[in-house]
Amino acid sequence: MGAAAAAEAVGEHLEARPEDDGAVTHFFAARHGGYRGWQWSVTIACADAESPITISEVVLLPGDDALVAPCWVPWDERVRPGDLGVGDLLPAPVDDPRLVPGYVGSDDPAVEEVAREVGLGRRTVLSREGREAAATRWTDGAHGPHADMARAAPAHCGTCGFLLPVAGALRGAFGVCGNAYSPADGAVVAVAFGCGAHSDVVIGGAPLTVGELVYDDGVELEPAGART
Ligand code: SF4
C-alpha cells in the first residue's frame, strides 16, 4: 500500500484508552473497503518524560457494528440434509445416536427376527432415536398428512394399491409410492398422505365431491326503463 493510500485508510480519531501509566491506545475509524465498523487500534508507549514515544502495536479491530465473518463451525456441523453430492463421502459420527450396533439389538422386532433367521446382519442399524427422527421428518415433510396434496386427496395412501410398505417397525406408518403419475412416485409417503392418483379413483365416479357450478359475471341488470 502506498503512503497516500495508507493515509486514506485511516479515518477520524474515535477515542483514547489508557493502558497503564506509560501507554495509551488510540482508536481511529478504518476507511478500508469491506471493513465497515472496524477501527485502527494504535498503542503508543513512553517510559518516562525523557524517553521518546514509541509505537507498540497497530492492529485493526472490529467495532460494535463491524461487519465480521460468522463464527467458525466444524465442517461436519455445517453439512445440512441435501448437501451430499455425487461422489461425496459423509461418514457418520463415531457416537451417532441414530445408530446402534446390529448385534446389540435394533429395538426393531422385525429386523431382529430376520437377522436371527438368516444369521446375517448389518454392522449398525437405526436406533429407536434414529427411527423416531426419520418418522418425524417424513410426517412433517412434503409427503406427510399435513401437506396440501394430502388434504385435497380423495383417499389416503394407506388404502392405495400403489403403496409399497416399508419394512420394520415403521411399516404401519410409511411406504413408498409406486405410481409414476403421482408427484410422490419413488418417495416415502405417510399412510395418511394421499393424492389424486389413488388407485381407487374412477373416471366418472370420482369420490371427489364437487359443488354445483355457479355462474357470476358480476353484472347487476336493471329492468329496461328503470332509469329516467
Ligand atoms: S398414488 Fe397417491 S395415494 Fe397412492 S400411494 Fe402414491 S401418493 Fe399415495
Side-chain angles (χ1 to χ4, degrees):
M1 181 187 299
E8 282 179 14
V10 181
E12 69 274 16
H13 183 260
L14 300 174
E15 65 170 312
R17 285 187 214 153
E19 301 291 346
D20 56 32
D21 289 344
V24 63
T25 299
H26 291 270
F27 291 90
F28 301 85
R31 294 263 179 258
H32 271 309
Y35 282 81
R36 193 200 72 197
W38 285 65
Q39 301 170 0
W40 287 106
S41 161
V42 182
T43 303
I44 56 175
C46 183
D48 52 47
E50 279 74 48
S51 304
I53 296 174
T54 56
I55 297 176
S56 304
E57 190 177 48
V58 178
V59 289
L60 256 179
L61 294 176
D64 291 340
D65 62 339
L67 196 60
V68 293
C71 293
W72 186 79
V73 178
W75 72 269
D76 56 337
E77 293 174 27
R78 260 179 272 157
V79 178
R80 312 301 328 155
D83 286 350
L84 200 68
V86 176
D88 290 345
L89 296 177
L90 182 63
V94 177
D95 297 321
D96 193 330
R98 299 170 302 169
L99 297 171
V100 289
Y103 55 81
V104 164
S106 67
D107 197 29
D108 183 336
V111 172
E112 289 302 297
E113 190 181 327
V114 172
R116 264 199 308 275
E117 280 179 8
V118 190
L120 297 173
R122 290 165 285 168
R123 197 173 63 78
T124 57
V125 293
L126 269 182
S127 62
R128 175 184 288 270
E129 182 178 339
R131 281 203 313 278
E132 286 177 354
T136 303
R137 265 197 326 275
W138 296 343
T139 300
D140 296 342
H143 301 132
H146 313 300
D148 288 345
M149 176 79 68
R151 287 206 290 265
H156 292 148
C157 299
T159 58
C160 179
F162 291 110
L163 183 77
L164 300 159
V166 299
L170 299 183
R171 179 185 177 89
F174 300 99
V176 174
C177 174
N179 185 348
Y181 294 98
S182 166
D185 180 40
V188 174
V189 292
V191 291
F193 181 67
C195 78
H198 189 286
S199 58
D200 288 352
V201 169
V202 226
I203 292 176
L208 284 169
T209 309
V210 180
E212 272 187 29
L213 190 63
V214 176
Y215 181 70
D216 179 5
D217 62 6
V219 178
E220 291 187 7
L221 299 177
E222 294 178 356
R227 289 188 186 176
T228 56

